Amino acid sequence: MREILWPGGVFFTSGPPLTVVQKSSLKDQARKMLPQAFPDQLRMVLGQEFTEEGLDMLHEMLQNRIVVKSLGYMIIDMIWLEIFPELSDTLSGAKALDSDL
C-alpha cells in the first residue's frame, strides 16, 4: 500500500512547467469541453446566446487562481461539515455553505 501511495518514498513530484503553447491549447480545450457538459434542455430554456455568454464568463472565472482556491476550500468545508456536523458552529463561513435557502 505504501508503494502505491508513495512510490519510491516520494509523495508528490511536480511535472515540467507548461509552455505558453501548451497552456493556450489546454485553455482552448477546456473552453470547447465546457458547453458539452451543459445540459441541452437548459440551453434550450436559456437560449443559445445567453448560454454561451454565461459559459464564457464561467470559464474566465475558473481561470482565476483565487476563485479556484476559494471554491476548493468551500468544497473541503462542505465535506467536513457532512462528516462532522458538530463543527458547523466553529467553522467560519459555515452559514454561507448552508444549502437551506
Side-chain angles (χ1 to χ4, degrees), residues 86-97:
E86 64 273 8
L87 293 177
S88 64
D89 59 339
T90 59
L91 281 178
S92 63
K95 290 180 183 175
L97 296 175

Side-chain angles (χ1 to χ4, degrees), residues 23-35:
K23 286 180 183 180
S24 176
S25 173
L26 285 174
K27 187 175 181 177
D28 291 340
Q29 281 181 324
R31 191 175 292 248
K32 289 177 185 173
M33 290 176 70
L34 194 57

